[in-house]
Amino acid sequence: MNSVSLTLSRGIARVTESALGPYQSAVIRIGFSATWLLFLLREFTHRQELYGPDGPWGWDLARQLTDDNHAFTALMWSDGQAWFEVFYLLAMLAAVALLLGWRTRTASVLFMVGVLSLQNRSVFVGDGGDNVLHLMSLYLVFTRCGQVWSLDARRAARAEAARARGERARPDRVGVLLWAVLGLVLAGVTLAGRFDNGLLVPALLWTVWVVLGLWGAVRRWARSPEPRILLDVVANVVHNAALFVIMAEACLIYSTAGWYKIQGSRWQDGTAVYYPLHLDYFSPWPALANLMSASGTIMMLVAYGTVMVQVAFPFTLFNRRVKNVLLVLMMTEHAVIAVVLGLPFFSLAMITADAVFLPTSFLLLVGTLVGRARGRLPRRGPGDGPALPSPRSPQDSTAGHVGFTA
């Protein structure tokens, strides 16, 4: 009984004392924001057909759909062309801010608003990658994904170094201003009655805004460390729960996909992979597709291997070596899908979801290699822009969410 209690207390301490998986959460932050940004950039010339008010799926049709399914989209606040253009640009800027880790918590909320608004505006133009991005944009709001490899982490490290030298840290005026402006916008939208398709998104937005204000007030005016410690514990618990949900979601995607494939006759006879290779929509490189499908044995092995890897993956999480082998196989499979079937953003989204299971030692190695490569670049002059944040060690416990970036 004592051993059980000791194990339980250690588990509770581990969950509450720190935000687990800082490098994994940073990778999924960078991966999903980059995937969305690249998609918006690629479709910039087609944005009107996809999401514009005068596109094939018009504003009136979108209004009827969102009234029925109660989906949130800020593009329904106005049918004007100017609002659409401004919002599309803001969605791109939010993705850039999250990619760089600038005001990460606020950027994650704005990123979520951009993803939900554009995807819910035209739900018939996406694929499986859009569904993954849709879900992960919600989960990222609850994570402390700016602890490492972010501008927030660099700013926190500089503030900590200044305090260690006995210097007084400068007040975070940018965070306060950003919080106040977004609060005014949120209040205006609420009073105007724009949140008329459900309470989930507005409740989440208001909760995050209040929590950020409370965090900043406690950091600035609290005379004892207890309030800050309490908020830090709550943030750690929420982060760890969200990270667990992300991992469970990835396992659910693969397990359901694998078990559904088992029930399909084309997967049972090993011919399922052959057919999409010969569809015009999924054949950007017909010669490559013909070369791959020339051997029936290879097609059968790929089909059976895909099913086995997807079904087996959730059961291998407790065996590190087997799990890492399957991770390599799944990421390789998605890379092949990106090239052969012409689905780069679906593949990027799935590879990013897989990255939550990558070992920390591997991510640290990648960060070190990136840091060395950056060090070989020419020195920057005093007028150049900000440097990218350098990798941090696991011992560096200063979180990137300081003040109004919590």
Side-chain angles (χ1 to χ4, degrees), residues 62-130:
R63 169 57 70 185
Q64 295 178 29
L65 179 63
T66 55
D67 287 342
D68 290 338
N69 61 16
H70 303 289
F72 167 81
T73 170
L75 290 179
M76 290 294 97
W77 294 351
S78 172
D79 60 351
Q81 183 64 33
W83 169 239
F84 168 73
E85 298 291 352
V86 169
F87 188 87
Y88 197 93
L89 178 60
L90 290 176
M92 295 173 61
L93 293 177
V96 172
L98 187 62
L99 175 65
L100 298 178
W102 183 81
R103 309 290 166 175
T104 313
R105 186 75 75 184
T106 301
S108 66
V109 174
L110 297 178
F111 176 78
M112 176 199 70
V113 171
V115 171
L116 297 185
S117 295
L118 288 170
Q119 290 189 354
N120 289 338
R121 168 62 177 81
S122 299
V123 297
F124 302 108
V125 297
D127 53 30
D130 292 329

Side-chain angles (χ1 to χ4, degrees), residues 27-32 35 331 347-356:
V27 167
I28 61 176
R29 182 201 86 227
I30 295 170
F32 284 120
T35 300
M331 289 183 173
S347 298
L348 279 175
M350 292 307 303
I351 290 174
T352 302
D354 295 340
V356 73

Side-chain angles (χ1 to χ4, degrees), residues 244 246-259 262 304-331 333-334 350-359:
F244 174 80
I246 291 174
M247 298 172 70
E249 187 73 41
C251 290
L252 185 63
I253 290 172
Y254 282 117
S255 61
T256 53
W259 286 107
I262 289 177
Y304 287 173
T306 298
V307 173
M308 287 188 290
V309 168
Q310 291 181 347
V311 172
F313 178 72
F315 301 100
T316 64
L317 296 182
F318 298 102
N319 188 313
R320 182 176 301 178
R321 293 182 178 178
V322 178
K323 181 260 294 182
N324 291 339
V325 171
L326 291 188
L327 270 180
V328 172
L329 293 177
M330 290 191 300
M331 289 183 173
E333 178 188 14
H334 288 305
M350 292 307 303
I351 290 174
T352 302
D354 295 340
V356 73
F357 299 103
L358 290 174

Side-chain angles (χ1 to χ4, degrees), residues 136-203:
M136 295 303 176
S137 67
L138 287 166
Y139 302 151
L140 279 174
V141 174
F142 300 96
T143 63
R144 307 185 78 171
C145 53
Q147 296 179 98
V148 296
W149 297 341
S150 68
L151 297 180
D152 285 348
R154 189 180 69 168
R155 186 175 64 255
R158 287 179 174 178
E160 186 67 24
R163 285 192 292 269
R165 294 191 301 266
E167 301 175 2
R168 184 177 179 180
R170 293 182 297 177
D172 185 14
R173 295 188 178 89
V174 175
V176 175
L177 179 62
L178 183 62
W179 178 80
V181 170
L182 293 179
L184 291 175
V185 173
L186 189 57
V189 171
T190 303
L191 293 175
R194 300 300 185 183
F195 293 127
D196 55 355
N197 278 344
L199 298 178
L200 176 61
V201 172

